[in-house]
Amino acid sequence: MDHYERIQCAIEFIEKHLQEEVNIADIAAEACFSAFHFQRLFQAISGFSVHEYIRKRRLSEAAVLLKQTQTSILDLAIACQYGSQEAFTRAFEATFGITPAKFRKANIPISLQKKLDFLDDQKRAKGEISMNKPNIVQLNSIAIVGYAYKTNLNNERYFEDIPRFYADFGRNGHYMRIPNKAAPDMAYGISCDFQDNGDFTFIVGEEVKNLDGELEDGFVHCLLPAGKYAEFRVIDSVQNTRTYIYGTWLPNSNYERREGPDFEITDVRQSVYPDQMKIKIYIPID
C-alpha cells in the first residue's frame, strides 16, 4: 500500500474507535508508521493535527445525535471522552459557536467534520509532485555541535518556535562557543529525538571536525548518519517547503523516510535575511 492508503487504514481505525480512548501509537501502527512520522504526514496532508481531527469528528457525531436522538448531553459527553458535561459543552461551543442544548432546540446549521478520505487528497496531489523535485544525494556522516531546544508538532507550533531558536542562538552568541568548526558559514538546524506525543528536539549548530571535548551547558554533540537523502532547495519558505515534502512529495514518491533526524543547512554568507535565504532541507530516505 502507498502512504495515502496506509493513512486511510488509520482513519478507518479511528472511526471504529471514535467513542473509545485511543492513543497515537495505536493509530499510527494501523498505517505502519512511527507515531511521530504519522502525525507529521497527517498534518501536512490534511492541514490539522490527528488530535484535532478526532476531537472534531467526535463533536460532529455528537451534533448528529443531538438532532436525531434523545440521548442526554451527559451521555454524549462521556461517549466523546469528556470528563464532564461542562467540559463537553465548552468544547462544543468553541467548535460550533453554539451550546449543545441550544443546538438541539434551534434550527441552526453548523459545519460538521466529515470522515476524511485521503485517497481524494492523493488525486489532488498528483499534479503537484514536480513543483520542487529534490536531488537524491548520498552523504557521509556529519559531526555537529549545537544548542538544543524543545518544541512540538501540535498546532504546528514548531513553525513559530524554530525562527525564535535561530534568533536566540545568534543573540546569545552561542555560535561563538562551538569548538573545532569545520564549516563556519553553514548553520545547521536538526530535528531529532522524536516522541510519540509530538515533542522533538531542534538543534541549532555547526559542523565540527570531531566530537571530542566537554561542552558548555545546553550544547550537545550530534552525529548525522551517513546515507541517502532527498535534498530540497527552499524556494518559497521553510514552512511551505516542509509542508510540500511531507504533504505531497513523500506520499507520492517511491521512497520511505528512514529513521533518524532530518535537517536544514543555511548558507549564512550567501543569505540575505529574510527574503533571500539560501537554505536546503535534507530528509533521510530509503
Side-chain angles (χ1 to χ4, degrees):
M1 291 189 291
D2 64 21
H3 285 66
Y4 290 97
E5 291 172 324
R6 289 158 63 182
I7 296 176
Q8 194 61 39
C9 287
I11 292 293
E12 302 302 330
F13 178 82
I14 290 171
E15 291 295 316
K16 288 179 183 178
H17 301 276
L18 202 56
Q19 294 188 347
E20 303 171 22
E21 184 177 352
V22 292
N23 61 58
I24 289 293
D26 289 340
I27 297 170
E30 292 294 313
C32 301
F33 290 121
S34 70
F36 185 91
H37 184 46
F38 172 75
Q39 291 179 86
R40 178 179 269 182
L41 279 169
F42 187 100
Q43 189 162 299
I45 296 171
S46 70
F48 43 83
S49 71
V50 180
H51 287 299
E52 184 181 0
Y53 172 72
I54 294 173
R55 178 178 59 80
K56 287 184 176 180
R57 280 293 296 132
R58 285 173 173 165
L59 292 172
S60 295
E61 290 299 303
V64 172
L65 293 173
L66 281 168
K67 290 294 189 181
Q68 296 181 352
T69 74
Q70 296 300 313
T71 306
S72 72
I73 294 176
L74 176 58
D75 286 342
L76 289 174
I78 294 171
C80 287
Q81 299 297 308
Y82 286 92
S84 67
Q85 182 172 325
E86 290 75 16
F88 170 74
T89 296
R90 287 195 298 270
F92 193 97
E93 186 173 19
T95 301
F96 300 122
I98 187 172
T99 66
K102 289 181 179 178
F103 175 71
R104 171 167 264 170
K105 295 176 182 178
N107 187 24
I108 298 176
I110 60 175
S111 180
L112 301 178
Q113 175 64 61
K114 297 180 180 179
K115 172 186 169 184
L116 284 177
D117 185 348
F118 275 77
L119 302 184
D120 280 345
D121 287 290
Q122 183 179 32
K123 296 172 187 175
R124 172 194 55 76
K126 282 292 187 183
E128 302 174 6
I129 191 168
S130 62
M131 287 174 55
N132 185 3
K133 194 171 182 179
N135 294 320
I136 306 301
V137 298
Q138 192 76 26
L139 299 181
N140 295 323
S141 60
I142 303 171
I144 301 290
V145 168
Y147 200 83
Y149 300 89
K150 300 293 184 180
T151 185
N152 193 284
L153 284 178
N154 295 330
N155 301 314
E156 297 188 328
R157 195 183 90 192
Y158 64 110
F159 282 140
E160 295 182 3
D161 284 347
I162 288 175
R164 290 198 290 264
F165 297 158
Y166 279 111
D168 177 84
F169 185 80
R171 182 174 57 251
N172 290 295
H174 291 323
Y175 60 93
M176 298 176 65
R177 296 196 286 278
I178 294 177
N180 302 317
K181 294 184 181 184
D185 293 327
M186 309 302 283
Y188 282 72
I190 302 159
S191 302
C192 58
D193 297 332
F194 307 121
Q195 305 298 313
D196 286 356
N197 65 357
D199 288 343
F200 68 100
T201 299
F202 191 82
I203 299 170
V204 181
E206 297 183 24
E207 182 181 359
V208 295
K209 297 173 183 176
N210 58 66
L211 296 178
D212 297 331
E214 295 292 324
L215 297 177
E216 297 183 32
D217 288 345
F219 285 85
V220 294
H221 291 124
C222 175
L223 185 66
L224 296 174
K228 185 187 296 183
Y229 289 82
E231 176 193 77
F232 294 84
R233 183 166 60 90
V234 174
I235 298 173
D236 181 3
S237 68
V238 172
Q239 177 175 342
N240 289 344
T241 303
R242 286 194 176 275
T243 299
Y244 167 77
I245 291 169
Y246 285 99
T248 301
W249 181 79
L250 188 58
N252 287 284
S253 72
N254 293 320
Y255 296 101
E256 290 282 343
R257 191 198 182 284
R258 273 191 294 118
E259 291 296 319
D262 56 58
F263 59 95
E264 59 196 45
I265 305 177
T266 304
D267 186 335
V268 177
R269 184 180 294 274
Q270 299 299 320
S271 294
V272 179
Y273 183 83
D275 299 321
Q276 297 180 33
M277 301 297 291
K278 303 295 183 181
I279 303 174
K280 291 181 180 179
I281 296 175
Y282 294 82
I283 308 297
I285 56 171
D286 283 325

